[in-house]
Amino acid sequence: MAINTYGVIGAGQMGNGIAQVAATAGLNVIMSDIKIEFAEKGLANITKLLSKGVDKGKITAEDKEAILGRIKITADLKDMADADFVVEAATENETLKFKIFQDIDEICKPDIILASNTSSIPIGRIAAQTKRPEKVIGMHFMNPVPVMKLVEVIRGIATSDETFQTTWDLSLKFGKTPALSHDYPGFIANRILLPMINEAVFALYHGVGTREDIDTVMKLGMNHPMGPLTLADLIGLDTCLAIMETLYEGFKDSKYRPCPLLRKYVEAGWLGRKTGRGFYEY
């Protein structure tokens, strides 16, 4: 089936980035959120980023207008009936994602692929919410989506070869480099990354070093582009906690126990860049 219209559920940081990449690749995009003002905010962010691209000479003003012209925003999930491929990019909350997949399974054409941008929730559990488990797959983009080259493609136990190949090829069309992960908690990226971030939070919690010193050691000693606490703030501390809880639940191993300090910050509403305060102030 030809993919001409790409549906994105969620217009937040990840969703609007995915929508921008898809529209830049020449697809028509339907970007939805629960309120139209959320979708409008997502479109405004895309417009801002494209305007920066024009200012830097990376794209023309005509390119910008053409990309924006391919994006439709909506607050009605039923509009996904017009999509040829749908990716869910909602908050990393299992109950919410299950409900979305139950709904879009009924709304969308029966032959289209339903993908999730989940960073840790098992694809098999998401697929089980639908009547098309063979057409459910993980399509995990990295943040910020327009810049980061990786797409982690996650096969569930029921995912068909056709679904996998279509998603892999679509990642390439978007100018990304796909990597295959099988369906285990955290997949590849966050099974490795989040325990490191969590350990950095434990180091701060135990007073091993200041936030600056912990980040400096990892940047200059391990050649990471940013320190783990800075990265946690960029990801969102609520997302970090949700992923650690998924790992802890999935493996039943104390080494995946979320740091109490991480939970304390989330409970205080200190979620990182998006709230203006996390391990650092913004």
Side-chain angles (χ1 to χ4, degrees):
M1 178 180 180
I3 299 171
N4 298 310
T5 302
Y6 187 78
V8 181
I9 300 172
Q13 189 174 34
M14 295 301 294
N16 70 64
I18 296 169
Q20 179 181 333
V21 165
T24 300
L27 298 183
N28 294 317
V29 175
I30 303 168
M31 182 173 68
S32 74
D33 213 309
I34 55 173
K35 293 183 179 181
I36 194 63
E37 52 263 41
F38 295 164
E40 289 170 344
K41 183 178 179 181
L43 185 60
N45 191 63
I46 295 171
T47 303
K48 178 182 176 182
L49 290 176
L50 291 174
S51 295
K52 287 183 178 179
V54 173
D55 293 342
K56 293 178 180 178
K58 294 182 177 179
I59 60 171
T60 67
E62 291 75 17
D63 290 335
K64 170 190 165 183
E65 293 308 315
I67 293 167
L68 290 173
R70 289 192 283 268
I71 302 173
K72 169 189 172 181
I73 61 172
T74 180
D76 189 349
L77 199 60
K78 292 179 180 178
D79 286 339
M80 291 297 160
D82 296 328
D84 303 316
F85 189 113
V86 172
V87 64
E88 165 273 318
T91 303
E92 192 71 358
N93 177 285
E94 187 174 270
T95 302
L96 173 62
K97 289 183 186 292
F98 284 1
K99 180 63 167 63
I100 289 171
F101 272 82
Q102 290 163 5
D103 291 344
I104 59 174
D105 187 45
E106 297 296 327
I107 292 167
C108 294
K109 291 171 281 192
D111 56 342
I112 76 161
I113 294 168
L114 306 179
S116 177
N117 183 57
T118 179
S119 51
S120 64
I121 298 169
I123 297 302
R125 287 164 70 175
I126 294 174
Q129 309 306 310
T130 75
K131 300 181 183 71
R132 62 181 94 188
E134 74 285 353
K135 291 188 174 294
V136 176
I137 195 165
M139 195 176 192
H140 179 209
F141 293 83
M142 303 295 125
N143 183 34
V145 180
V147 176
M148 300 294 281
K149 298 294 289 184
L150 176 67
V151 172
E152 197 175 21
V153 179
I154 305 108
R155 290 192 70 152
I157 192 169
T159 303
S160 71
D161 291 342
E162 181 183 9
T163 295
F164 167 73
Q165 194 61 53
T166 299
T167 306
W168 187 273
D169 291 345
L170 192 58
S171 301
L172 294 172
K173 182 179 177 68
F174 289 172
K176 303 300 185 184
T177 300
L180 168 64
S181 173
H182 292 288
D183 195 16
Y184 291 90
F187 318 128
I188 295 172
N190 284 319
R191 182 170 177 172
I192 296 169
L193 174 64
L194 261 296
M196 182 198 74
I197 289 176
N198 194 54
E199 194 62 31
V201 182
F202 266 115
L204 182 66
Y205 181 52
H206 292 149
V208 179
T210 66
R211 60 188 184 181
E212 291 85 1
D213 287 334
I214 291 166
D215 278 353
T216 296
V217 166
M218 296 306 291
K219 284 192 296 181
L220 302 185
M222 284 66 186
N223 204 29
H224 291 190
M226 68 177 73
L229 299 178
T230 300
L231 180 56
D233 279 353
L234 178 62
I235 294 168
L237 303 193
D238 52 339
T239 300
C240 292
L241 178 60
I243 295 168
M244 285 308 302
E245 287 177 332
T246 297
L247 291 171
Y248 189 41
E249 177 189 348
F251 292 114
K252 307 298 184 185
D253 190 322
S254 61
K255 72 181 181 181
Y256 295 112
R257 179 173 66 92
C259 179
L261 184 62
L262 177 60
R263 190 179 303 280
K264 186 175 182 178
Y265 274 42
V266 172
E267 289 173 349
W270 296 358
L271 306 183
R273 286 181 179 270
K274 60 188 173 185
T275 60
R277 182 165 186 173
F279 293 111
Y280 294 87
E281 297 77 38
Y282 300 92

